[in-house]
Every structure is written in C-alpha cells, then in structure tokens.
Amino acid sequence: MASVLVASNRGPVSYVPREDGSGALDARRGGGGLVSGLSAALAGQPEALWVCAALSDGDREAVRTGVSEPGVRMLAVDPAVYDGAYNGIANSVLWFLHHHLYDIPVAPVFDAEFRRRWEAYRTYNRAFAEALAAEAAEGAEVLVQDYHLALVPGQLRELRPDLRIAHFTHTPWASPEYLRMLPEDIREELLWGMLGADELGFHTWAWASTFIRGAHIDSATGTADGSWPSDDPWRGVRHRKAGQPGRGTRVRVYPLGVDGDELRALAHRPEVDDRLAALRAEVGDRKTIVRVDRTELSKNVVRGLLAYRELLRERPEWRGRVVHLASAYPSRQDLEVYRDYTAAVARLAEEINAELGTEDWQPVLLSVKDDFARSLAAYRMADVALINPVRDGMNLVAKEIPVVSEAGCALVLSTGAGAYEELREDALTVNPYDVSETARALHEALTKGPSERADRTKRLAAKATALPPRQWFLDQLEALREPR
C-alpha cells in the first residue's frame, strides 16, 4: 500500500511499440520541469505511487498486458469516456470557464449532450478515486492535480475519510460570475468535489481568492462559506453537508518556479547549440522579440502579433532591425476552435511578412512545431520576451526565458499571467487586450540598455527559481501533514 500518492491526467511515462515489429513496448519518460520535479520528489518518498491515465494505444496495451513501471499505475479508461471527460468537459467547459474564453452570445450551451459529457467526466474522476482508495495505506497523503480531476477529492473523501487529500489547480479559477454560468447542480458538484480536499493549492492569491469568493453554497445538500473575519489568519472555506459535522478546507498559494540548474543544462545541449547557430544565421545582428506558446486561445498570440505589426507600422525605425521569433505550436487540434485559431496565427504572420518584409529581412520567423530545442535556443538569444496571455495560471515561459537569456532580456508581461504577481516589478506590464499599449511596451523594451536589461534579468531569474518543482511539491506535502 502507498503512503504518498499523486494523481494526474498525464503521468510520468508513456509507452510506444518498438520499431522492430516485435510487439514489445518501450517506456518513455515524460518531459517538462513539473514531471521531472514530481518524479524526483516522489523518489524520496517511501511507498509512493503515481496514478495516471492510459492516454495512447501503447499505454492501453501496457495496461492490458501488465507492463508497468515501478511506482506508476495507469488506468485504462474507456476511450469514449475519456473523450467525453477530457475533450467534452475539461478542455471545452472547465478550461473555458477558468480562462474566461467563452464567446458569450453563442456559448456556453448546457444541453442534454453536455449532461452526457458531464457523466463521462464524473465516471473518469470516479475511476481515479476508486484506484486511489484501493492503493492508499491508512492515513496516506494524496495529492491530486488539476482541473481534469476536480471531483476526485470529494469522491475519495466518501470512500476513504481517513486520507489526507490535497488538490492543486494549475489554471486560474473562474470568477463567481463565470462560475454561475454552470447549471446549479453541476456547480455544486464541482465545488463539493474540490472541498473534499483538506488543502487546495493555487499559483497565486488572485486565483485562490477567486475560488474562495465563488465557494459560497446554500442549498439542500449543504453550505459553504467563503468569508471570514478580517483578523482571522485562517484562509479557506469552512463547510458542512446536511447531517454531517462541519470541516474546513484550507486554501494556500504555491507559485511554481523552475529548476534553474536543470533548465540551463538543457539549454546548452549540443542540439540546442545547433538550433542557436541556425537561428543566429537567420536573424543576423538584429534584435529579437521571443515568444513560445501553444496556439491555445488564452495565450493571446494573435494580439501579440498585432502589437508587433503596430510597432513596425508606428515605429518604422525598427524595420529591418528586429525579428520576432515566435514558436506557436498547435494545441488541442481535436477541437475546431483551436484549429481555426492556429490557422489565424499562421495567416497573420504571413500577412505581416508580406506587408512589411523586404528581400533581406523577414519580420516574423514563425515555428508551428513542438521543437523544445529551438525554443531553448530562442530563449538564449532573447532581447525581449513577450508574454501576453489574457488569463493564465502561472506561465512558466515568463520565468524560463530570464533564466536562460544570455545577454539579458526585457520582459513584456500581461497582467493576466499568474507570474505577474511575482515578476511585475521588473517587467514592462501591459493590458493583454490593449494592442497599442503592448506595441509601446515592445518599443520601450527594445530600447533598454544592456546594463538595465542585465539587472532586471538577474532579479527576474532569482524570483523565477525561488520555488522549483521539487520544493513546490514537498512544501505541499509538508502542509498536508500538519496537525489538524
């Protein structure tokens, strides 16, 4: 039985068939700082277990044939259930709610099809809750990750009241006004799912306080109160269900950072050096504005390109002297709205190059491939980093670029990024909807002298590495173990 358990949609490993046609499977470790940090933290915990979903055909085959990695349990959820939960609810409803992305005149629509998808989401969460209940030792600590599994704490609490349960949301949390768009019974189920946890974590107090404000429930099923006296240091939600004793869910903030040493080591691998040489040959001695994003609606890539175009139109002195290195790799292409957005990004980049480019200067160098080596190379040569999401849980790119930038970079950062709370003093901050303000900020960033850029970058990097993934996880685990 496991004493420490992590639950997440995507796990630390995936399986692919060997190319030799033998039918055997090879395990591939997941990438990214969070997976690396959690893996390192769990390695130091006795009897730890990571519960995740089997996402690919190779993963499902591994579950069917009993192939597994130590400390990992994959759940082979029915593909139709997974699609309804992941695409139908997590990415098409909860993501849109938390990031305030709905086109209100036409969406959302909560109809019979939505109810069927919600049932899939409930079933998907139940599979995790049952697996965790079966694997957890008496009094074990369980740390559930993200909006895909928002119902798990409440479901698990009913199955195993002895467990200590935490949930961390890596996105923003919907404002009370957006949350009220949900049908009342669904909203209550979502909130009671979250309130099954002893501890709830968010990246910033902006998102934590938004959850608390929206967590007031008053119905036949129970009550929760998100208010507390101003002199009470306890921050959270006290709640009870009808016929049950009251209890509390503490809400805390853990601003996830990056592992500076690991990131710098990755950024100086030979393949990154090769990409860097190629980019420098294309860019020449021009200044660079760098952004690295998925073509995800909240990342605001289109307005970033519009701001760059306005910079070149209104400040012609920058024509031929700057290049926008934009990595915008496709995201969630199963959804039509994301396919359309990806196409809009590519189309606008082409329009800027056609209007303003010359025979020896291409204003935008757009990459639509998920090429981590190229992204790291761009980080290293960034003079300006453009991070302008409309709403973002944290945005680790805003922290990664200052850590890797070689000559120092000026950070243009929107107020909608979670990283804004930590980095705003040393960034040029902008309203993510204000294209003209963003264009002016880009101009100011490009004119910063080397000394000021270096000083700002040093301070940004120190803040960015203050809470690397491993320590971020261990701090939550320590909080979960505090006496009640």
Side-chain angles (χ1 to χ4, degrees):
M1 304 293 281
S3 58
V4 176
L5 301 93
V6 167
S8 62
N9 176 68
R10 185 178 300 277
V13 65
S14 61
Y15 294 93
V16 295
R18 288 183 184 168
E19 296 180 358
D20 60 10
S22 65
L25 297 168
D26 284 329
R28 293 184 178 176
R29 305 302 298 182
L34 183 58
V35 167
S36 297
L38 288 180
S39 297
L42 286 178
Q45 303 296 325
E47 300 176 350
L49 181 68
W50 193 323
V51 178
C52 57
L55 301 181
S56 66
D57 290 342
D59 291 347
R60 286 186 284 273
E61 179 65 13
V63 175
R64 189 187 68 81
T65 57
V67 175
S68 64
E69 301 297 305
V72 178
R73 179 179 171 185
M74 278 190 172
L75 306 180
V77 178
D78 179 272
V81 170
Y82 182 81
D83 181 67
Y86 183 75
N87 288 319
I89 296 297
N91 288 341
S92 295
V93 176
L94 298 181
W95 184 272
F96 275 65
L97 280 173
H98 291 328
H99 290 84
H100 294 184
L101 293 176
Y102 277 123
D103 183 3
I104 299 300
V106 296
V109 174
F110 298 126
D111 55 8
E113 179 59 29
F114 161 75
R115 293 281 175 172
R116 285 189 285 271
R117 291 171 177 171
W118 185 262
E119 179 59 34
Y121 182 76
R122 181 185 296 127
T123 300
Y124 181 66
N125 277 248
R126 173 65 64 173
F128 274 83
E130 291 176 350
L132 292 165
E135 298 283 358
E138 183 73 18
E141 293 103 12
V142 180
L143 297 100
V144 182
Q145 303 297 307
D146 228 358
Y147 63 103
H148 312 90
L149 303 176
L151 303 184
V152 167
Q155 294 173 339
L156 184 57
R157 176 70 58 198
E158 293 179 353
L159 295 171
R160 291 287 304 274
D162 61 294
L163 300 178
R164 293 201 168 186
I165 304 169
H167 184 285
F168 192 92
T169 300
H170 293 266
T171 66
W173 188 265
S175 69
E177 295 75 21
Y178 254 72
L179 203 62
R180 289 191 193 103
M181 291 179 184
L182 287 172
E184 183 178 1
D185 62 317
I186 300 297
R187 183 176 71 249
E188 289 189 3
E189 185 177 359
L190 176 66
L191 288 171
W192 281 112
M194 294 283 286
L195 292 172
D198 299 290
E199 299 270 342
L200 291 177
F202 295 88
H203 284 303
T204 74
W205 274 117
W207 311 141
S209 61
T210 299
F211 174 84
I212 293 170
R213 286 191 296 114
H216 176 75
I217 302 173
D218 188 359
S219 74
T221 59
T223 61
D225 191 349
S227 63
W228 62 88
S230 60
D231 60 349
D232 185 353
W234 197 93
R235 293 199 174 188
V237 182
R238 295 187 173 97
H239 50 90
R240 66 178 177 84
K241 281 196 172 184
Q244 297 181 9
R247 54 182 301 274
T249 296
R250 189 182 293 272
V251 180
R252 306 199 202 211
V253 168
Y254 301 91
L256 176 64
V258 300
D259 185 325
D261 292 338
E262 180 184 29
L263 185 62
R264 282 185 283 265
L266 289 171
H268 288 84
R269 293 174 301 168
E271 57 266 38
V272 178
D273 291 337
D274 292 342
R275 295 289 202 288
L276 182 63
L279 284 176
R280 281 180 171 156
E282 285 190 271
V283 171
D285 60 357
R286 301 178 178 94
K287 289 184 176 292
T288 59
I289 298 172
V290 171
R291 80 171 304 140
V292 175
D293 284 304
R294 294 175 292 115
T295 52
E296 203 288 311
L297 306 181
S298 68
K299 299 301 184 183
N300 211 22
V301 181
V302 167
R303 288 192 188 91
L305 286 168
L306 291 173
Y308 179 62
R309 183 175 70 182
E310 185 162 317
L311 168 75
L312 298 179
R313 285 176 172 177
E314 300 298 318
R315 300 277 186 172
E317 65 268 27
W318 288 115
R319 297 180 190 178
R321 295 177 54 211
V322 63
V323 172
H324 188 9
L325 292 177
S327 293
Y329 50 91
S331 173
R332 298 175 182 166
Q333 297 300 287
D334 290 341
L335 303 176
E336 182 180 3
V337 65
Y338 282 89
R339 294 195 298 272
D340 291 345
Y341 191 75
T342 301
V345 168
R347 186 166 57 248
L348 181 54
E350 291 174 0
E351 291 172 1
I352 294 171
N353 286 334
E355 175 191 348
L356 297 163
T358 63
E359 187 174 327
D360 61 351
W361 171 60
Q362 184 171 317
V364 182
L365 294 179
L366 176 66
S367 172
V368 293
K369 296 180 180 179
D370 186 359
D371 187 341
F372 188 48
R374 182 189 188 275
S375 297
L376 290 173
Y379 286 4
R380 286 172 60 179
M381 63 189 297
D383 295 302
V384 176
L386 174 57
I387 313 292
N388 68 319
V390 294
R391 195 170 167 88
D392 214 339
M394 173 53 70
N395 196 301
L396 285 179
V397 174
K399 295 185 171 185
E400 291 171 348
I401 295 180
V403 170
V404 174
S405 174
E406 292 183 346
C409 68
L411 175 62
V412 176
L413 180 67
S414 90
T415 57
Y420 168 80
E421 285 193 9
E422 296 174 89
L423 305 184
R424 60 185 173 182
E425 291 182 2
D426 293 296
L428 302 171
T429 60
V430 297
N431 175 342
Y433 305 99
D434 191 336
V435 168
S436 293
E437 182 185 41
T438 304
R440 291 192 295 270
L442 289 174
H443 170 71
E444 184 180 350
L446 287 166
T447 57
K448 294 291 182 188
S451 177
E452 182 178 355
R453 284 212 322 268
D455 288 344
R456 283 177 178 253
T457 302
K458 183 178 180 179
R459 293 191 295 268
L460 288 168
K463 294 173 183 176
T465 56
L467 193 62
R470 184 175 183 275
Q471 192 59 49
W472 169 86
F473 176 82
L474 292 176
D475 285 357
Q476 292 174 73
L477 187 58
E478 182 179 351
L480 193 56
R481 290 170 172 170
E482 289 177 0
R484 299 292 166 183

